[in-house]
Amino acid sequence: MIGIALSLWAVVAGLGVAVHQRRGRVRVKQGGAFAWKQAKGLSLRLPFALLTAAFLSESLPMEHLAQFVGPQSGVQGLVLSALLGGLLPGGPMTSFPIALVIFQAGAGTPQIVSFLAGWSVFAMHRVIAYEAPILGWRFVGLRLLACAALPVLSGLLAAAVLAALSPLQIDPI
């Protein structure tokens, strides 16, 4: 975890140096101001998102969830995970903490991949609020049909990768 954080900071530092060399100090300050504005917004929302996920895990029978989306649930678990992800309202501030709670409750890694892919591809709240009014239901139907298999395929691919890397363990945080 620390290695990942250090790697990200190294990338940020490298980008900062590149911007300074190409665009000057003013652009670096503008980038920093934008990042600070975004960080303030996230620092207000993230605790609520984490609390929501924690309360959700306490209020729902998470111990029963593993039988439906656990590591041994197979393709049915992948399909169910993709559908649940697609029905989950909200952005990443709610979806990722909920995915973490489901993962810690016993869901399989491929099923969580399918869950997040379903959230990303289907996102019914975005379809209803933005996509259909702007692009029309005919386009929505075509897109959903064309993308229907993607979350399940992503889960199957995750399972294949895990099987190939079986000596490596990917554990819930």
Side-chain angles (χ1 to χ4, degrees):
M1 190 77 151
I2 291 173
I4 292 170
L6 291 174
S7 298
L8 289 173
W9 278 110
V11 169
V12 169
L15 289 171
V17 168
V19 168
H20 186 270
Q21 289 176 345
R22 291 179 170 226
R23 302 292 206 125
R25 174 178 268 163
V26 172
R27 293 292 188 153
V28 173
K29 286 184 180 181
Q30 288 174 340
F34 174 78
W36 180 248
K37 181 179 175 182
Q38 294 296 313
K40 286 193 305 188
L42 286 175
S43 68
L44 295 173
R45 290 181 288 192
L46 190 57
F48 292 111
L50 293 173
L51 281 171
T52 300
F55 291 152
L56 181 67
S57 73
E58 294 301 323
S59 64
L60 296 176
M62 290 294 181
E63 60 276 1
H64 300 298
L65 190 62
Q67 67 187 9
F68 298 108
V69 294
Q72 306 304 325
S73 64
V75 174
Q76 288 178 330
L78 296 175
V79 171
L80 180 60
S81 296
L83 291 174
L84 289 173
L87 294 174
L88 185 68
M93 287 297 165
T94 55
S95 301
F96 285 98
I98 289 171
L100 176 62
V101 166
I102 296 170
F103 194 36
Q104 289 177 331
T109 301
Q111 286 75 10
I112 292 298
V113 169
S114 186
F115 175 84
L116 290 172
W119 167 76
S120 181
V121 170
F122 299 136
M124 285 299 128
H125 65 286
R126 289 191 309 254
V127 167
I128 293 167
Y130 300 106
E131 191 173 357
I134 294 170
L135 299 169
W137 283 106
R138 182 174 178 193
F139 176 82
V140 169
L142 175 64
R143 186 190 68 79
L144 291 176
L145 187 61
C147 297
L150 294 178
V152 175
L153 289 174
S154 68
L156 289 170
L157 183 59
V161 169
L162 285 174
L165 301 174
S166 62
L168 300 176
Q169 293 294 321
I170 299 178
D171 295 321
I173 297 173

